[in-house]
């Protein structure tokens, strides 16, 4: 079972959010039949969204992370609820690229760097809060850290990793976002930087049974404040799909009805198929307010 762990250093100057997300990423892979590089790209984005979602204070709020880098994977979209439960999809789930020289999946080339890392927070108000930064590498962790530093005006560092097994299933997945609080001493910053550069990849720590909180905050005596179970969760329902169909407008509904065909709506996030015979479209049309 996946979880989000929040911890703080003994001196209170650095806090960390860690996610272990193997089941979330494996579920996404199965739903979308993702290629290995798409599994890594969507997996990292899902975990970034989950970390941001866990920080939302409003119960009904959601946060959406969207990458539009112009690479062959197309758009990568992940949405989290305020408890860190996530869902997502990519435009081209079967994208396949050669491995990088170091043998790693080439997420950066799949995503591309010709666009934005965009975060929108829907807090239930009229308009969502939207912020975006230019993509730096398309590798997602670096892009996420840059976004966070610029939007929150705090020091931060991030690691995100997905290890895909030889049978294409997800062996492990996880990540962290560490934030510095105002007044953090230089010695603490230097120690965290040194920990991050010497600890290796997030997936190395996870596959050897290590602990990300203690690896990043080694020597700073961290205390775990909270653990929250998180999962891949879609909120689609027949009722929501009816509202979406209704929103296409009177004329478009009449056109569907005239065609006499069954209407199929597929949820982007979980691939659930909803079928509507003409009689139901007629019902929606009858209730539709012009
Ligand atoms: Zn769904």
């Amino acid at each position: 079972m996946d979880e989000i762990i929040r911890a703080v250093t003994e001196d209170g100057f650095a806090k960390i959010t860690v996610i272990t997300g193997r089941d979330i990423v494996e579920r996404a892979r199965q739903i979308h039949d993702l290629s290995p590089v798409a599994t890594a790209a969507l997996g990292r984005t899902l975990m970034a969204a989950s970390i941001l979602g866990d920080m939302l204070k409003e119960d009904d709020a959601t946060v959406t992370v969207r990458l539009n880098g112009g690479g062959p994977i197309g758009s990568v979209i992940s949405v989290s609820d305020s408890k860190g439960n996530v869902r997502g999809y990519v435009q081209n789930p079967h994208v396949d690229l050669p491995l990088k020289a170091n043998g790693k999946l080439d997420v950066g080339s799949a995503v591309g760097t010709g666009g934005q890392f965009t975060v929108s927070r829907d807090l239930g108000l009229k308009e969502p809060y939207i912020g975006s930064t230019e993509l730096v590498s398309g590798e997602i962790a670096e892009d996420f850290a840059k976004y966070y530093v610029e939007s929150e005006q705090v020091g931060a560092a991030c690691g995100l990793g997905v290890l895909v097994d030889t049978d294409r299933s997800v062996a492990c997945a996880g990540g962290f976002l560490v934030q510095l609080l105002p007044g953090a001493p230089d010695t603490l910053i230097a120690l965290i930087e040194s920990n991050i550069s010497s600890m290796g990849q997030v997936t190395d720590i996870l596959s050897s049974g290590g602990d990300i909180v203690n690896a990043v905050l080694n020597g700073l005596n961290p205390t775990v404040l909270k653990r929250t179970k998180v999962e891949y969760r879609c909120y689609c329902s027949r009722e929501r799909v009816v509202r979406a169909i209704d929103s296409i407008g009177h004329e478009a509904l009449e056109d569907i009805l005239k065609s006499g065909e069954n209407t199929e709506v597929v949820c982007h996030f979980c691939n659930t198929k909803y079928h509507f015979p003409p009689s139901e479209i007629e019902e929606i049309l009858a209730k539709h307010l012009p």
Side-chain angles (χ1 to χ4, degrees):
M1 182 77 182
D2 297 335
E3 62 177 358
I4 283 190
I5 304 158
R6 285 203 221 172
V8 64
T9 55
E10 191 172 25
D11 65 11
F13 280 121
K15 50 182 185 176
I16 191 169
T17 306
V18 167
I19 178 167
T20 53
R22 190 261 164 200
D23 294 351
I24 287 172
V25 183
E26 175 61 12
R27 180 89 186 97
R29 184 187 75 87
Q30 289 174 5
I31 289 170
H32 302 296
D33 186 30
L34 298 169
S35 68
V37 73
T39 301
L42 181 57
R44 291 180 196 176
T45 311
L46 284 165
M47 292 189 289
S50 180
I51 288 172
L52 290 173
D54 178 69
M55 294 174 181
L56 294 168
K57 292 178 184 75
E58 301 78 5
D59 271 352
D60 297 330
T62 62
V63 59
T64 302
V65 177
R66 187 183 300 264
L67 313 181
N68 286 310
I73 200 169
S75 300
V76 183
I77 290 153
S78 294
V79 184
S80 177
D81 68 15
S82 61
K83 304 282 183 286
N85 300 301
V86 281
R87 57 196 188 272
Y89 64 91
V90 301
Q91 221 171 346
N92 296 313
H94 299 141
V95 61
D96 191 18
L97 290 171
L99 296 175
K100 293 195 285 191
N102 62 6
K104 304 276 182 196
L105 293 163
D106 197 352
V107 174
S109 296
V111 171
T113 53
Q116 309 277 322
F117 185 101
T118 304
V119 175
S120 49
R121 289 182 179 80
D122 187 343
L123 308 180
L125 305 167
K126 258 188 189 159
E127 299 288 335
Y129 290 98
I130 301 175
S132 64
T133 49
E134 297 282 323
L135 287 162
V136 205
S137 66
E139 292 281 341
I140 303 166
E142 202 184 341
D143 305 296
F144 180 33
K146 181 182 177 227
Y147 162 79
Y148 201 80
V149 167
E150 287 183 16
S151 72
E152 302 298 318
Q153 302 285 308
V154 295
C158 173
L160 294 167
V162 174
L163 184 65
V164 178
D165 219 329
T166 45
D167 67 357
R168 297 190 152 212
S169 69
V170 178
C172 65
F176 69 87
L177 178 73
V178 59
Q179 305 162 65
L180 299 169
L181 279 80
D186 290 344
T187 48
L188 170 116
I189 299 170
L191 183 54
I192 292 174
E193 280 174 354
S194 142
N195 286 344
I196 291 172
S197 66
S198 65
M199 72 187 199
Q201 305 285 328
V202 167
T203 47
D204 295 337
I205 298 172
L206 291 172
S207 49
S208 64
D211 175 324
I212 300 172
V213 173
N214 285 312
V216 178
L217 302 180
N218 187 23
L220 295 163
N221 204 10
T223 307
V224 171
L225 303 172
K226 198 178 167 198
R227 287 173 181 272
T228 312
K229 300 264 181 254
V230 289
E231 64 178 13
Y232 193 101
R233 189 181 293 175
C234 189
Y235 286 92
C236 69
S237 64
R238 198 167 176 86
E239 194 189 345
R240 282 180 184 228
V241 175
V242 166
R243 264 183 271 150
I245 294 175
D246 184 66
S247 72
I248 66 173
H250 200 88
E251 263 177 51
L253 285 168
E254 277 186 334
D255 286 346
I256 295 177
L257 200 55
K258 260 182 235 158
S259 78
E261 283 169 19
N262 287 312
T263 304
E264 183 185 88
V265 177
V266 183
C267 174
H268 279 311
F269 294 105
C270 69
N271 269 348
T272 300
K273 294 179 174 66
Y274 295 90
H275 296 275
F276 296 87
S279 60
E280 283 195 51
I281 298 292
E282 206 168 357
E283 251 175 65
I284 296 170
L285 188 60
K287 287 184 204 148
H288 184 81
L289 303 169

